[in-house]
Amino acid sequence: MLGRTAWGVTWMFRYLARAEHTARLLEAGLRMALTRGDGAARDEWRSVLVTLGQLAGYEARHSEVAGPLVTDFILRGQDNPASVKAMIEHARTNARMVRTALTREVWEGVNETWMALGEALARPVRPSTLPDTLLLIRRQAMLVRGAMETTLLRNEIFNFARIGAHLEAADSTARILDVKYHVLLPSPAWVGSQLDNAQWEMVLRSVAGERVFRWLNAGRLDARGIAQFLILDGRFPNSLAYSYAKLASNMTALVREHGTESPSHAMAMDAANRLRNLSIGAIFDAGLHEFLTDFIAENVRIAQAIATDYRFTE
């Protein structure tokens, strides 16, 4: 496979996954902001910007943190290269580049997503229509993913698509967890409080895990249990353990096709094995922030190694 095709497929699905995760984070932030006072609501919107790594860009253009300004900047900011609108445009550009490698259903799903969101984000999103817009982003991303899962051959194209989605899911979950511990809570004194529990619920909603976590834990919310669920529970599709187990599986499939084990395959296997053998106690003993910081950095290194091994070119 040409490196250009591998690059295009991987990043098409990274951008789509990033748009979906961004929509979920905005939805959780909106829910929290609506239930709290003005000052606390500003803190919630600021935390969303921090989680997405967009605070500096936002502050360069706005002097205050306000819900409508934040959502407009993240969804369709004209000077924001990391906006959802920009992500979808990049996904569609990549899809056009690799059009002959995609099934009709996948291409039509991406193109439909681009048209639907282009129309929805052509003008500022009103607060009254924001929930529907966020739902549209999520549904369109899931539509493309469903087309990929049900129509693509289980070949290199499929594996690179899954690799992109799993790298992005792992990065998103790790960043949300890290910000929770270092940005969302006003001070350590709040740990265990009603505010703390509400923030943890926001984290779960941001990764589409609130309902399933409650099913597994009889409705209880506690920091240690949630961290274990999002890091080590191999049953949850957005957990670090699940993402890396599947990443390693798709990397192994590429090794079978190419007949040669790449350095990036060994890196992915090592990371998946470490997660499988970790305990939440060991993570907390060493420091959750330190663990997540190291994980995010390693996720970047593995993505870069994949790009090198498979000669990604734009």
Side-chain angles (χ1 to χ4, degrees), residues 9 12-13 101-106 144-159 161-162:
V9 171
M12 177 178 72
F13 280 92
L102 304 176
T103 61
R104 182 185 65 187
E105 290 82 358
V106 173
V144 179
R145 189 167 66 249
M148 179 267 288
E149 292 282 355
T150 57
T151 68
L152 283 184
L153 289 173
R154 269 37 179 180
N155 58 9
E156 289 178 302
I157 298 298
F158 176 81
N159 286 310
R162 291 286 298 271

mmCIF file with all atom_site columns, all heavy atoms in Angstrom, residues 9 12-13 101-106 144-159 161-162:
data_model
loop_
_atom_site.group_PDB
_atom_site.id
_atom_site.type_symbol
_atom_site.label_atom_id
_atom_site.label_alt_id
_atom_site.label_comp_id
_atom_site.label_asym_id
_atom_site.label_entity_id
_atom_site.label_seq_id
_atom_site.pdbx_PDB_ins_code
_atom_site.Cartn_x
_atom_site.Cartn_y
_atom_site.Cartn_z
_atom_site.occupancy
_atom_site.B_iso_or_equiv
_atom_site.pdbx_formal_charge
_atom_site.auth_seq_id
_atom_site.auth_comp_id
_atom_site.auth_asym_id
_atom_site.auth_atom_id
_atom_site.pdbx_PDB_model_num
ATOM 1   N N   . VAL A 1 9   ? -6.156  7.294  5.088  1.00 0.00 ? 9   VAL A N   1
ATOM 2   C CA  . VAL A 1 9   ? -7.171  6.501  5.788  1.00 0.00 ? 9   VAL A CA  1
ATOM 3   C C   . VAL A 1 9   ? -7.047  6.688  7.302  1.00 0.00 ? 9   VAL A C   1
ATOM 4   O O   . VAL A 1 9   ? -8.046  6.895  8.006  1.00 0.00 ? 9   VAL A O   1
ATOM 5   C CB  . VAL A 1 9   ? -7.044  5.013  5.417  1.00 0.00 ? 9   VAL A CB  1
ATOM 6   C CG1 . VAL A 1 9   ? -7.949  4.161  6.291  1.00 0.00 ? 9   VAL A CG1 1
ATOM 7   C CG2 . VAL A 1 9   ? -7.391  4.803  3.947  1.00 0.00 ? 9   VAL A CG2 1
ATOM 8   N N   . MET A 1 12  ? -8.171  10.226 8.252  1.00 0.00 ? 12  MET A N   1
ATOM 9   C CA  . MET A 1 12  ? -9.600  10.417 8.043  1.00 0.00 ? 12  MET A CA  1
ATOM 10  C C   . MET A 1 12  ? -10.369 9.944  9.272  1.00 0.00 ? 12  MET A C   1
ATOM 11  O O   . MET A 1 12  ? -11.251 10.651 9.793  1.00 0.00 ? 12  MET A O   1
ATOM 12  C CB  . MET A 1 12  ? -10.063 9.645  6.813  1.00 0.00 ? 12  MET A CB  1
ATOM 13  C CG  . MET A 1 12  ? -11.565 9.731  6.552  1.00 0.00 ? 12  MET A CG  1
ATOM 14  S SD  . MET A 1 12  ? -12.077 8.860  5.068  1.00 0.00 ? 12  MET A SD  1
ATOM 15  C CE  . MET A 1 12  ? -11.899 7.153  5.583  1.00 0.00 ? 12  MET A CE  1
ATOM 16  N N   . PHE A 1 13  ? -10.013 8.770  9.776  1.00 0.00 ? 13  PHE A N   1
ATOM 17  C CA  . PHE A 1 13  ? -10.729 8.244  10.934 1.00 0.00 ? 13  PHE A CA  1
ATOM 18  C C   . PHE A 1 13  ? -10.275 8.883  12.242 1.00 0.00 ? 13  PHE A C   1
ATOM 19  O O   . PHE A 1 13  ? -11.053 8.942  13.196 1.00 0.00 ? 13  PHE A O   1
ATOM 20  C CB  . PHE A 1 13  ? -10.621 6.720  10.965 1.00 0.00 ? 13  PHE A CB  1
ATOM 21  C CG  . PHE A 1 13  ? -11.598 6.074  10.028 1.00 0.00 ? 13  PHE A CG  1
ATOM 22  C CD1 . PHE A 1 13  ? -11.236 5.763  8.724  1.00 0.00 ? 13  PHE A CD1 1
ATOM 23  C CD2 . PHE A 1 13  ? -12.900 5.829  10.423 1.00 0.00 ? 13  PHE A CD2 1
ATOM 24  C CE1 . PHE A 1 13  ? -12.143 5.205  7.841  1.00 0.00 ? 13  PHE A CE1 1
ATOM 25  C CE2 . PHE A 1 13  ? -13.829 5.274  9.550  1.00 0.00 ? 13  PHE A CE2 1
ATOM 26  C CZ  . PHE A 1 13  ? -13.450 4.957  8.249  1.00 0.00 ? 13  PHE A CZ  1
ATOM 27  N N   . ALA A 1 101 ? -9.877  3.534  -2.470 1.00 0.00 ? 101 ALA A N   1
ATOM 28  C CA  . ALA A 1 101 ? -9.635  2.497  -1.462 1.00 0.00 ? 101 ALA A CA  1
ATOM 29  C C   . ALA A 1 101 ? -10.840 2.292  -0.554 1.00 0.00 ? 101 ALA A C   1
ATOM 30  O O   . ALA A 1 101 ? -10.843 1.366  0.261  1.00 0.00 ? 101 ALA A O   1
ATOM 31  C CB  . ALA A 1 101 ? -8.417  2.859  -0.617 1.00 0.00 ? 101 ALA A CB  1
ATOM 32  N N   . LEU A 1 102 ? -11.859 3.137  -0.691 1.00 0.00 ? 102 LEU A N   1
ATOM 33  C CA  . LEU A 1 102 ? -13.026 3.090  0.183  1.00 0.00 ? 102 LEU A CA  1
ATOM 34  C C   . LEU A 1 102 ? -14.210 2.449  -0.528 1.00 0.00 ? 102 LEU A C   1
ATOM 35  O O   . LEU A 1 102 ? -14.324 2.514  -1.759 1.00 0.00 ? 102 LEU A O   1
ATOM 36  C CB  . LEU A 1 102 ? -13.419 4.500  0.632  1.00 0.00 ? 102 LEU A CB  1
ATOM 37  C CG  . LEU A 1 102 ? -12.343 5.336  1.325  1.00 0.00 ? 102 LEU A CG  1
ATOM 38  C CD1 . LEU A 1 102 ? -12.889 6.734  1.612  1.00 0.00 ? 102 LEU A CD1 1
ATOM 39  C CD2 . LEU A 1 102 ? -11.873 4.667  2.614  1.00 0.00 ? 102 LEU A CD2 1
ATOM 40  N N   . THR A 1 103 ? -15.108 1.879  0.235  1.00 0.00 ? 103 THR A N   1
ATOM 41  C CA  . THR A 1 103 ? -16.367 1.427  -0.347 1.00 0.00 ? 103 THR A CA  1
ATOM 42  C C   . THR A 1 103 ? -17.254 2.634  -0.612 1.00 0.00 ? 103 THR A C   1
ATOM 43  O O   . THR A 1 103 ? -17.043 3.725  -0.056 1.00 0.00 ? 103 THR A O   1
ATOM 44  C CB  . THR A 1 103 ? -17.108 0.470  0.599  1.00 0.00 ? 103 THR A CB  1
ATOM 45  O OG1 . THR A 1 103 ? -17.395 1.165  1.828  1.00 0.00 ? 103 THR A OG1 1
ATOM 46  C CG2 . THR A 1 103 ? -16.271 -0.760 0.891  1.00 0.00 ? 103 THR A CG2 1
ATOM 47  N N   . ARG A 1 104 ? -18.251 2.438  -1.442 1.00 0.00 ? 104 ARG A N   1
ATOM 48  C CA  . ARG A 1 104 ? -19.184 3.523  -1.740 1.00 0.00 ? 104 ARG A CA  1
ATOM 49  C C   . ARG A 1 104 ? -19.857 4.018  -0.471 1.00 0.00 ? 104 ARG A C   1
ATOM 50  O O   . ARG A 1 104 ? -20.055 5.229  -0.274 1.00 0.00 ? 104 ARG A O   1
ATOM 51  C CB  . ARG A 1 104 ? -20.242 3.042  -2.736 1.00 0.00 ? 104 ARG A CB  1
ATOM 52  C CG  . ARG A 1 104 ? -21.242 4.130  -3.151 1.00 0.00 ? 104 ARG A CG  1
ATOM 53  C CD  . ARG A 1 104 ? -22.327 3.556  -4.035 1.00 0.00 ? 104 ARG A CD  1
ATOM 54  N NE  . ARG A 1 104 ? -23.133 2.587  -3.293 1.00 0.00 ? 104 ARG A NE  1
ATOM 55  C CZ  . ARG A 1 104 ? -24.069 1.823  -3.855 1.00 0.00 ? 104 ARG A CZ  1
ATOM 56  N NH1 . ARG A 1 104 ? -24.273 1.884  -5.160 1.00 0.00 ? 104 ARG A NH1 1
ATOM 57  N NH2 . ARG A 1 104 ? -24.767 0.982  -3.119 1.00 0.00 ? 104 ARG A NH2 1
ATOM 58  N N   . GLU A 1 105 ? -20.215 3.084  0.422  1.00 0.00 ? 105 GLU A N   1
ATOM 59  C CA  . GLU A 1 105 ? -20.923 3.457  1.643  1.00 0.00 ? 105 GLU A CA  1
ATOM 60  C C   . GLU A 1 105 ? -20.075 4.334  2.552  1.00 0.00 ? 105 GLU A C   1
ATOM 61  O O   . GLU A 1 105 ? -20.582 5.287  3.152  1.00 0.00 ? 105 GLU A O   1
ATOM 62  C CB  . GLU A 1 105 ? -21.365 2.201  2.396  1.00 0.00 ? 105 GLU A CB  1
ATOM 63  C CG  . GLU A 1 105 ? -22.484 1.414  1.713  1.00 0.00 ? 105 GLU A CG  1
ATOM 64  C CD  . GLU A 1 105 ? -21.986 0.489  0.625  1.00 0.00 ? 105 GLU A CD  1
ATOM 65  O OE1 . GLU A 1 105 ? -20.760 0.463  0.359  1.00 0.00 ? 105 GLU A OE1 1
ATOM 66  O OE2 . GLU A 1 105 ? -22.826 -0.201 0.015  1.00 0.00 ? 105 GLU A OE2 1
ATOM 67  N N   . VAL A 1 106 ? -18.789 4.025  2.667  1.00 0.00 ? 106 VAL A N   1
ATOM 68  C CA  . VAL A 1 106 ? -17.914 4.841  3.506  1.00 0.00 ? 106 VAL A CA  1
ATOM 69  C C   . VAL A 1 106 ? -17.750 6.232  2.904  1.00 0.00 ? 106 VAL A C   1
ATOM 70  O O   . VAL A 1 106 ? -17.861 7.245  3.601  1.00 0.00 ? 106 VAL A O   1
ATOM 71  C CB  . VAL A 1 106 ? -16.544 4.164  3.697  1.00 0.00 ? 106 VAL A CB  1
ATOM 72  C CG1 . VAL A 1 106 ? -15.579 5.102  4.427  1.00 0.00 ? 106 VAL A CG1 1
ATOM 73  C CG2 . VAL A 1 106 ? -16.697 2.862  4.477  1.00 0.00 ? 106 VAL A CG2 1
ATOM 74  N N   . VAL A 1 144 ? -20.392 6.923  9.699  1.00 0.00 ? 144 VAL A N   1
ATOM 75  C CA  . VAL A 1 144 ? -19.217 6.563  8.903  1.00 0.00 ? 144 VAL A CA  1
ATOM 76  C C   . VAL A 1 144 ? -18.520 5.350  9.511  1.00 0.00 ? 144 VAL A C   1
ATOM 77  O O   . VAL A 1 144 ? -18.104 4.434  8.789  1.00 0.00 ? 144 VAL A O   1
ATOM 78  C CB  . VAL A 1 144 ? -18.239 7.750  8.800  1.00 0.00 ? 144 VAL A CB  1
ATOM 79  C CG1 . VAL A 1 144 ? -17.007 7.345  7.987  1.00 0.00 ? 144 VAL A CG1 1
ATOM 80  C CG2 . VAL A 1 144 ? -18.911 8.950  8.167  1.00 0.00 ? 144 VAL A CG2 1
ATOM 81  N N   . ARG A 1 145 ? -18.398 5.346  10.831 1.00 0.00 ? 145 ARG A N   1
ATOM 82  C CA  . ARG A 1 145 ? -17.748 4.214  11.483 1.00 0.00 ? 145 ARG A CA  1
ATOM 83  C C   . ARG A 1 145 ? -18.534 2.922  11.238 1.00 0.00 ? 145 ARG A C   1
ATOM 84  O O   . ARG A 1 145 ? -17.957 1.853  11.010 1.00 0.00 ? 145 ARG A O   1
ATOM 85  C CB  . ARG A 1 145 ? -17.600 4.472  12.975 1.00 0.00 ? 145 ARG A CB  1
ATOM 86  C CG  . ARG A 1 145 ? -16.748 3.427  13.674 1.00 0.00 ? 145 ARG A CG  1
ATOM 87  C CD  . ARG A 1 145 ? -16.349 3.847  15.065 1.00 0.00 ? 145 ARG A CD  1
ATOM 88  N NE  . ARG A 1 145 ? -17.472 3.952  15.976 1.00 0.00 ? 145 ARG A NE  1
ATOM 89  C CZ  . ARG A 1 145 ? -17.941 5.090  16.472 1.00 0.00 ? 145 ARG A CZ  1
ATOM 90  N NH1 . ARG A 1 145 ? -17.390 6.245  16.138 1.00 0.00 ? 145 ARG A NH1 1
ATOM 91  N NH2 . ARG A 1 145 ? -18.964 5.094  17.305 1.00 0.00 ? 145 ARG A NH2 1
ATOM 92  N N   . GLY A 1 146 ? -19.857 3.014  11.272 1.00 0.00 ? 146 GLY A N   1
ATOM 93  C CA  . GLY A 1 146 ? -20.688 1.845  10.989 1.00 0.00 ? 146 GLY A CA  1
ATOM 94  C C   . GLY A 1 146 ? -20.503 1.351  9.569  1.00 0.00 ? 146 GLY A C   1
ATOM 95  O O   . GLY A 1 146 ? -20.434 0.141  9.325  1.00 0.00 ? 146 GLY A O   1
ATOM 96  N N   . ALA A 1 147 ? -20.399 2.290  8.615  1.00 0.00 ? 147 ALA A N   1
ATOM 97  C CA  . ALA A 1 147 ? -20.165 1.899  7.225  1.00 0.00 ? 147 ALA A CA  1
ATOM 98  C C   . ALA A 1 147 ? -18.810 1.223  7.084  1.00 0.00 ? 147 ALA A C   1
ATOM 99  O O   . ALA A 1 147 ? -18.665 0.227  6.346  1.00 0.00 ? 147 ALA A O   1
ATOM 100 C CB  . ALA A 1 147 ? -20.244 3.124  6.319  1.00 0.00 ? 147 ALA A CB  1
ATOM 101 N N   . MET A 1 148 ? -17.816 1.730  7.794  1.00 0.00 ? 148 MET A N   1
ATOM 102 C CA  . MET A 1 148 ? -16.487 1.115  7.760  1.00 0.00 ? 148 MET A CA  1
ATOM 103 C C   . MET A 1 148 ? -16.521 -0.308 8.310  1.00 0.00 ? 148 MET A C   1
ATOM 104 O O   . MET A 1 148 ? -15.988 -1.242 7.715  1.00 0.00 ? 148 MET A O   1
ATOM 105 C CB  . MET A 1 148 ? -15.508 1.979  8.561  1.00 0.00 ? 148 MET A CB  1
ATOM 106 C CG  . MET A 1 148 ? -14.088 1.440  8.631  1.00 0.00 ? 148 MET A CG  1
ATOM 107 S SD  . MET A 1 148 ? -13.775 0.412  10.103 1.00 0.00 ? 148 MET A SD  1
ATOM 108 C CE  . MET A 1 148 ? -13.749 1.666  11.384 1.00 0.00 ? 148 MET A CE  1
ATOM 109 N N   . GLU A 1 149 ? -17.190 -0.481 9.447  1.00 0.00 ? 149 GLU A N   1
ATOM 110 C CA  . GLU A 1 149 ? -17.220 -1.787 10.103 1.00 0.00 ? 149 GLU A CA  1
ATOM 111 C C   . GLU A 1 149 ? -17.986 -2.829 9.289  1.00 0.00 ? 149 GLU A C   1
ATOM 112 O O   . GLU A 1 149 ? -17.682 -4.021 9.355  1.00 0.00 ? 149 GLU A O   1
ATOM 113 C CB  . GLU A 1 149 ? -17.859 -1.663 11.490 1.00 0.00 ? 149 GLU A CB  1
ATOM 114 C CG  . GLU A 1 149 ? -17.037 -0.869 12.500 1.00 0.00 ? 149 GLU A CG  1
ATOM 115 C CD  . GLU A 1 149 ? -15.888 -1.689 13.067 1.00 0.00 ? 149 GLU A CD  1
ATOM 116 O OE1 . GLU A 1 149 ? -15.782 -2.894 12.756 1.00 0.00 ? 149 GLU A OE1 1
ATOM 117 O OE2 . GLU A 1 149 ? -15.076 -1.116 13.818 1.00 0.00 ? 149 GLU A OE2 1
ATOM 118 N N   . THR A 1 150 ? -18.974 -2.399 8.523  1.00 0.00 ? 150 THR A N   1
ATOM 119 C CA  . THR A 1 150 ? -19.854 -3.369 7.854  1.00 0.00 ? 150 THR A CA  1
ATOM 120 C C   . THR A 1 150 ? -19.585 -3.553 6.367  1.00 0.00 ? 150 THR A C   1
ATOM 121 O O   . THR A 1 150 ? -20.150 -4.478 5.767  1.00 0.00 ? 150 THR A O   1
ATOM 122 C CB  . THR A 1 150 ? -21.326 -2.963 8.029  1.00 0.00 ? 150 THR A CB  1
ATOM 123 O OG1 . THR A 1 150 ? -21.522 -1.628 7.526  1.00 0.00 ? 150 THR A OG1 1
ATOM 124 C CG2 . THR A 1 150 ? -21.735 -2.997 9.495  1.00 0.00 ? 150 THR A CG2 1
ATOM 125 N N   . THR A 1 151 ? -18.735 -2.703 5.766  1.00 0.00 ? 151 THR A N   1
ATOM 126 C CA  . THR A 1 151 ? -18.541 -2.836 4.313  1.00 0.00 ? 151 THR A CA  1
ATOM 127 C C   . THR A 1 151 ? -17.093 -2.994 3.880  1.00 0.00 ? 151 THR A C   1
ATOM 128 O O   . THR A 1 151 ? -16.848 -3.463 2.759  1.00 0.00 ? 151 THR A O   1
ATOM 129 C CB  . THR A 1 151 ? -19.136 -1.625 3.543  1.00 0.00 ? 151 THR A CB  1
ATOM 130 O OG1 . THR A 1 151 ? -18.369 -0.439 3.848  1.00 0.00 ? 151 THR A OG1 1
ATOM 131 C CG2 . THR A 1 151 ? -20.594 -1.408 3.911  1.00 0.00 ? 151 THR A CG2 1
ATOM 132 N N   . LEU A 1 152 ? -16.130 -2.618 4.707  1.00 0.00 ? 152 LEU A N   1
ATOM 133 C CA  . LEU A 1 152 ? -14.732 -2.721 4.282  1.00 0.00 ? 152 LEU A CA  1
ATOM 134 C C   . LEU A 1 152 ? -14.207 -4.148 4.425  1.00 0.00 ? 152 LEU A C   1
ATOM 135 O O   . LEU A 1 152 ? -14.507 -4.840 5.406  1.00 0.00 ? 152 LEU A O   1
ATOM 136 C CB  . LEU A 1 152 ? -13.844 -1.789 5.112  1.00 0.00 ? 152 LEU A CB  1
ATOM 137 C CG  . LEU A 1 152 ? -13.856 -0.298 4.796  1.00 0.00 ? 152 LEU A CG  1
ATOM 138 C CD1 . LEU A 1 152 ? -12.844 0.423  5.672  1.00 0.00 ? 152 LEU A CD1 1
ATOM 139 C CD2 . LEU A 1 152 ? -13.566 -0.023 3.323  1.00 0.00 ? 152 LEU A CD2 1
ATOM 140 N N   . LEU A 1 153 ? -13.415 -4.584 3.455  1.00 0.00 ? 153 LEU A N   1
ATOM 141 C CA  . LEU A 1 153 ? -12.675 -5.821 3.603  1.00 0.00 ? 153 LEU A CA  1
ATOM 142 C C   . LEU A 1 153 ? -11.743 -5.719 4.801  1.00 0.00 ? 153 LEU A C   1
ATOM 143 O O   . LEU A 1 153 ? -11.236 -4.644 5.125  1.00 0.00 ? 153 LEU A O   1
ATOM 144 C CB  . LEU A 1 153 ? -11.834 -6.092 2.344  1.00 0.00 ? 153 LEU A CB  1
ATOM 145 C CG  . LEU A 1 153 ? -12.569 -6.499 1.061  1.00 0.00 ? 153 LEU A CG  1
ATOM 146 C CD1 . LEU A 1 153 ? -11.569 -6.553 -0.091 1.00 0.00 ? 153 LEU A CD1 1
ATOM 147 C CD2 . LEU A 1 153 ? -13.270 -7.836 1.232  1.00 0.00 ? 153 LEU A CD2 1
ATOM 148 N N   . ARG A 1 154 ? -11.506 -6.844 5.449  1.00 0.00 ? 154 ARG A N   1
ATOM 149 C CA  . ARG A 1 154 ? -10.564 -6.850 6.576  1.00 0.00 ? 154 ARG A CA  1
ATOM 150 C C   . ARG A 1 154 ? -9.145  -6.931 6.026  1.00 0.00 ? 154 ARG A C   1
ATOM 151 O O   . ARG A 1 154 ? -8.447  -7.929 6.142  1.00 0.00 ? 154 ARG A O   1
ATOM 152 C CB  . ARG A 1 154 ? -10.867 -8.012 7.513  1.00 0.00 ? 154 ARG A CB  1
ATOM 153 C CG  . ARG A 1 154 ? -11.838 -7.708 8.638  1.00 0.00 ? 154 ARG A CG  1
ATOM 154 C CD  . ARG A 1 154 ? -12.948 -6.779 8.271  1.00 0.00 ? 154 ARG A CD  1
ATOM 155 N NE  . ARG A 1 154 ? -13.864 -6.541 9.397  1.00 0.00 ? 154 ARG A NE  1
ATOM 156 C CZ  . ARG A 1 154 ? -14.920 -5.768 9.331  1.00 0.00 ? 154 ARG A CZ  1
ATOM 157 N NH1 . ARG A 1 154 ? -15.208 -5.124 8.196  1.00 0.00 ? 154 ARG A NH1 1
ATOM 158 N NH2 . ARG A 1 154 ? -15.695 -5.593 10.374 1.00 0.00 ? 154 ARG A NH2 1
ATOM 159 N N   . ASN A 1 155 ? -8.722  -5.830 5.420  1.00 0.00 ? 155 ASN A N   1
ATOM 160 C CA  . ASN A 1 155 ? -7.397  -5.750 4.813  1.00 0.00 ? 155 ASN A CA  1
ATOM 161 C C   . ASN A 1 155 ? -6.648  -4.546 5.378  1.00 0.00 ? 155 ASN A C   1
ATOM 162 O O   . ASN A 1 155 ? -6.999  -4.043 6.451  1.00 0.00 ? 155 ASN A O   1
ATOM 163 C CB  . ASN A 1 155 ? -7.518  -5.659 3.286  1.00 0.00 ? 155 ASN A CB  1
ATOM 164 C CG  . ASN A 1 155 ? -8.351  -4.453 2.853  1.00 0.00 ? 155 ASN A CG  1
ATOM 165 O OD1 . ASN A 1 155 ? -8.695  -3.589 3.665  1.00 0.00 ? 155 ASN A OD1 1
ATOM 166 N ND2 . ASN A 1 155 ? -8.662  -4.383 1.579  1.00 0.00 ? 155 ASN A ND2 1
ATOM 167 N N   . GLU A 1 156 ? -5.624  -4.083 4.691  1.00 0.00 ? 156 GLU A N   1
ATOM 168 C CA  . GLU A 1 156 ? -4.829  -2.959 5.189  1.00 0.00 ? 156 GLU A CA  1
ATOM 169 C C   . GLU A 1 156 ? -5.671  -1.706 5.416  1.00 0.00 ? 156 GLU A C   1
ATOM 170 O O   . GLU A 1 156 ? -5.470  -0.984 6.401  1.00 0.00 ? 156 GLU A O   1
ATOM 171 C CB  . GLU A 1 156 ? -3.706  -2.643 4.207  1.00 0.00 ? 156 GLU A CB  1
ATOM 172 C CG  . GLU A 1 156 ? -2.596  -3.668 4.165  1.00 0.00 ? 156 GLU A CG  1
ATOM 173 C CD  . GLU A 1 156 ? -1.548  -3.291 3.137  1.00 0.00 ? 156 GLU A CD  1
ATOM 174 O OE1 . GLU A 1 156 ? -1.932  -3.148 1.954  1.00 0.00 ? 156 GLU A OE1 1
ATOM 175 O OE2 . GLU A 1 156 ? -0.387  -3.120 3.510  1.00 0.00 ? 156 GLU A OE2 1
ATOM 176 N N   . ILE A 1 157 ? -6.594  -1.430 4.520  1.00 0.00 ? 157 ILE A N   1
ATOM 177 C CA  . ILE A 1 157 ? -7.420  -0.222 4.644  1.00 0.00 ? 157 ILE A CA  1
ATOM 178 C C   . ILE A 1 157 ? -8.194  -0.263 5.950  1.00 0.00 ? 157 ILE A C   1
ATOM 179 O O   . ILE A 1 157 ? -8.225  0.710  6.717  1.00 0.00 ? 157 ILE A O   1
ATOM 180 C CB  . ILE A 1 157 ? -8.392  -0.116 3.448  1.00 0.00 ? 157 ILE A CB  1
ATOM 181 C CG1 . ILE A 1 157 ? -7.617  0.005  2.132  1.00 0.00 ? 157 ILE A CG1 1
ATOM 182 C CG2 . ILE A 1 157 ? -9.317  1.073  3.635  1.00 0.00 ? 157 ILE A CG2 1
ATOM 183 C CD1 . ILE A 1 157 ? -6.746  1.228  2.031  1.00 0.00 ? 157 ILE A CD1 1
ATOM 184 N N   . PHE A 1 158 ? -8.833  -1.391 6.223  1.00 0.00 ? 158 PHE A N   1
ATOM 185 C CA  . PHE A 1 158 ? -9.596  -1.540 7.457  1.00 0.00 ? 158 PHE A CA  1
ATOM 186 C C   . PHE A 1 158 ? -8.693  -1.373 8.669  1.00 0.00 ? 158 PHE A C   1
ATOM 187 O O   . PHE A 1 158 ? -9.048  -0.695 9.645  1.00 0.00 ? 158 PHE A O   1
ATOM 188 C CB  . PHE A 1 158 ? -10.261 -2.911 7.488  1.00 0.00 ? 158 PHE A CB  1
ATOM 189 C CG  . PHE A 1 158 ? -11.007 -3.212 8.754  1.00 0.00 ? 158 PHE A CG  1
ATOM 190 C CD1 . PHE A 1 158 ? -12.289 -2.719 8.952  1.00 0.00 ? 158 PHE A CD1 1
ATOM 191 C CD2 . PHE A 1 158 ? -10.432 -3.988 9.753  1.00 0.00 ? 158 PHE A CD2 1
ATOM 192 C CE1 . PHE A 1 158 ? -12.980 -2.991 10.123 1.00 0.00 ? 158 PHE A CE1 1
ATOM 193 C CE2 . PHE A 1 158 ? -11.119 -4.263 10.918 1.00 0.00 ? 158 PHE A CE2 1
ATOM 194 C CZ  . PHE A 1 158 ? -12.391 -3.773 11.115 1.00 0.00 ? 158 PHE A CZ  1
ATOM 195 N N   . ASN A 1 159 ? -7.523  -1.989 8.640  1.00 0.00 ? 159 ASN A N   1
ATOM 196 C CA  . ASN A 1 159 ? -6.631  -1.918 9.800  1.00 0.00 ? 159 ASN A CA  1
ATOM 197 C C   . ASN A 1 159 ? -6.139  -0.495 10.047 1.00 0.00 ? 159 ASN A C   1
ATOM 198 O O   . ASN A 1 159 ? -6.080  -0.056 11.197 1.00 0.00 ? 159 ASN A O   1
ATOM 199 C CB  . ASN A 1 159 ? -5.453  -2.875 9.604  1.00 0.00 ? 159 ASN A CB  1
ATOM 200 C CG  . ASN A 1 159 ? -5.870  -4.316 9.778  1.00 0.00 ? 159 ASN A CG  1
ATOM 201 O OD1 . ASN A 1 159 ? -6.514  -4.686 10.758 1.00 0.00 ? 159 ASN A OD1 1
ATOM 202 N ND2 . ASN A 1 159 ? -5.531  -5.166 8.812  1.00 0.00 ? 159 ASN A ND2 1
ATOM 203 N N   . ALA A 1 161 ? -7.738  2.218  9.238  1.00 0.00 ? 161 ALA A N   1
ATOM 204 C CA  . ALA A 1 161 ? -8.898  2.962  9.733  1.00 0.00 ? 161 ALA A CA  1
ATOM 205 C C   . ALA A 1 161 ? -9.081  2.735  11.230 1.00 0.00 ? 161 ALA A C   1
ATOM 206 O O   . ALA A 1 161 ? -9.288  3.680  12.012 1.00 0.00 ? 161 ALA A O   1
ATOM 207 C CB  . ALA A 1 161 ? -10.157 2.534  8.968  1.00 0.00 ? 161 ALA A CB  1
ATOM 208 N N   . ARG A 1 162 ? -8.999  1.483  11.647 1.00 0.00 ? 162 ARG A N   1
ATOM 209 C CA  . ARG A 1 162 ? -9.161  1.165  13.068 1.00 0.00 ? 162 ARG A CA  1
ATOM 210 C C   . ARG A 1 162 ? -8.002  1.722  13.903 1.00 0.00 ? 162 ARG A C   1
ATOM 211 O O   . ARG A 1 162 ? -8.202  2.185  15.028 1.00 0.00 ? 162 ARG A O   1
ATOM 212 C CB  . ARG A 1 162 ? -9.252  -0.356 13.247 1.00 0.00 ? 162 ARG A CB  1
ATOM 213 C CG  . ARG A 1 162 ? -10.512 -0.983 12.697 1.00 0.00 ? 162 ARG A CG  1
ATOM 214 C CD  . ARG A 1 162 ? -11.728 -0.708 13.556 1.00 0.00 ? 162 ARG A CD  1
ATOM 215 N NE  . ARG A 1 162 ? -11.590 -1.257 14.891 1.00 0.00 ? 162 ARG A NE  1
ATOM 216 C CZ  . ARG A 1 162 ? -11.949 -2.485 15.246 1.00 0.00 ? 162 ARG A CZ  1
ATOM 217 N NH1 . ARG A 1 162 ? -12.461 -3.307 14.340 1.00 0.00 ? 162 ARG A NH1 1
ATOM 218 N NH2 . ARG A 1 162 ? -11.815 -2.903 16.483 1.00 0.00 ? 162 ARG A NH2 1
#
